[in-house]
Amino acid sequence: MSTAPVMVDVRGVHKSFGAHEVLRGIDLQVRAGEVTVVIGPSGSGKSTLLRAINHLEKLSRGSVSIDGELVGYRRRGDKLYELKEREILRQRTRIGFVFQNFNLFPHLTVLENITEAPVSALRRPSAEAKGRARALLDRVGLADKADAYPRQLSGGQQQRVAIARALALDPQVLLFDEPTSALDPELVGEVLDVIKDVARAGTTMIVVTHEIGFAREVADTVVFMDDGVVVEQGPPQDVLDRPRHERTRAFLSKVL
Ligand code: ADP
Ligand code: MG
């Protein structure tokens, strides 16, 4: 068992949309440098959980801390008050998010996509941000695409740019929401290889994916969610190969 400090601390998180309670009491701890893979059926609340961690969704109850700092709220006494937008944006620069559909800025070049946030949010000098962006492009195997526009790239290349863009902020945590599910099958491998490389470099990550082979290879912890709760979690060899719960077994029999 790792003794690294807890980097992501999700405590008693509930989230409702109207009368629909989508997250029903989630507790999740991810230690620094560890990779947690979240699996579960469509509609079980995986995306909502990632969005709650990033405060793209307000919580109905509970709290999320990154590196000991409450995300989206300030505590006064036993009450939580939502932070101002500026402060939330500052916090988000510490939490990288890679979306299913890449979400690159279509009107910016690859290089500009990567330098935009470091320059505008972190006030890094442009030349420094460009140098770093080129190094990151090299790392994801796209050194020759700096001046291309997203539409000129394959889905796999666009997602690798999105990963470089997330890394450009030197985030403490990287969140991936089904990073390969919008890709043609032959492009999945190149994106998973980049994510594996980032994981090996020691970045703390939470990855929502249906790629069970990836989970087996890279995850320190696999979390199975269903219907807004964590049904079971543990090392991949336990959760994937010896699941304790019938719901986990039923899900795995469909995706394996
Ligand atoms: P998953 O990512 O596991 O497929 P989601 O977190 O996207 O699940 O969604 C969980 C449930 O929450 C679904 O029933 C979905 O329809 C609902 N939901 C998600 N976002 C919203 C929203 N903004 N408003 C209303 N319902 C939502
Ligand atoms: Mg989802």
Side-chain angles (χ1 to χ4, degrees):
M1 222 28 224
S2 161
T3 54
V6 172
M7 179 61 83
V8 183
D9 195 358
V10 175
R11 295 205 182 182
V13 164
H14 291 247
K15 174 65 187 178
S16 298
F17 295 106
H20 183 190
E21 193 172 41
V22 171
L23 300 179
R24 302 188 297 128
I26 302 278
D27 289 289
L28 183 65
Q29 280 77 42
V30 182
R31 291 182 182 276
E34 295 204 335
V35 178
T36 291
V37 168
V38 179
I39 60 173
S42 179
S44 56
K46 306 180 301 296
S47 294
T48 304
L49 173 62
L50 289 190
R51 291 170 57 79
I53 290 172
N54 207 6
H55 201 67
L56 289 167
E57 301 287 356
K58 290 183 195 190
L59 309 181
S60 304
R61 213 157 16 118
S63 66
V64 173
S65 304
I66 306 273
D67 199 20
E69 182 180 318
L70 220 45
V71 177
Y73 299 92
R74 184 164 40 87
R75 193 184 296 282
R76 205 190 285 153
D78 54 3
K79 277 214 159 132
L80 297 183
Y81 296 88
E82 194 173 26
L83 295 173
K84 295 213 163 62
E85 188 63 20
R86 257 184 77 148
E87 189 60 10
I88 292 168
L89 289 176
R90 181 194 65 78
Q91 290 189 326
R92 280 208 197 111
T93 64
R94 304 184 311 151
I95 310 168
F97 204 121
V98 176
F99 301 87
Q100 184 173 347
N101 290 310
F102 329 134
N103 287 16
L104 297 175
F105 304 116
H107 57 291
L108 298 182
T109 66
V110 162
L111 195 77
E112 289 163 350
N113 262 278
I114 301 174
T115 57
E116 199 278 332
V119 171
S120 70
L122 298 184
R123 306 262 167 242
R124 286 201 189 138
S126 169
E128 181 191 316
K130 280 183 188 160
R132 173 102 165 98
R134 288 187 190 280
L136 286 167
L137 279 175
D138 192 39
R139 184 168 165 197
V140 302
L142 293 173
D144 56 336
K145 298 293 185 191
D147 299 321
Y149 284 87
R151 65 173 178 279
Q152 299 171 312
L153 305 181
S154 71
Q157 291 172 330
Q158 289 187 54
Q159 194 60 302
R160 284 146 65 196
V161 172
I163 294 167
R165 181 176 64 173
L167 288 170
L169 291 166
D170 297 314
Q172 289 176 292
V173 181
L174 260 182
L175 310 176
F176 294 84
D177 194 357
E178 300 202 31
T180 61
S181 44
L183 299 176
D184 292 332
E186 74 271 22
L187 303 178
V188 168
E190 67 189 52
V191 172
L192 292 181
D193 283 346
V194 167
I195 300 174
K196 283 178 205 170
D197 172 66
V198 175
R200 281 191 206 105
T203 309
T204 310
M205 328 203 296
I206 302 178
V207 186
V208 172
T209 185
H210 296 296
E211 297 289 336
I212 301 299
F214 170 85
R216 194 171 263 123
E217 192 179 339
V218 180
D220 295 289
T221 301
V222 174
V223 171
F224 173 66
M225 274 181 72
D226 194 11
D227 200 18
V229 297
V230 172
V231 174
E232 67 182 294
Q233 59 176 305
Q237 356 20 314
D238 291 351
V239 176
L240 300 175
D241 299 329
R242 291 184 295 275
R244 286 181 292 124
H245 290 265
E246 179 48 39
R247 280 197 277 174
T248 318
R249 280 195 283 272
F251 174 75
L252 288 170
S253 73
K254 282 181 215 149
V255 296
L256 282 175

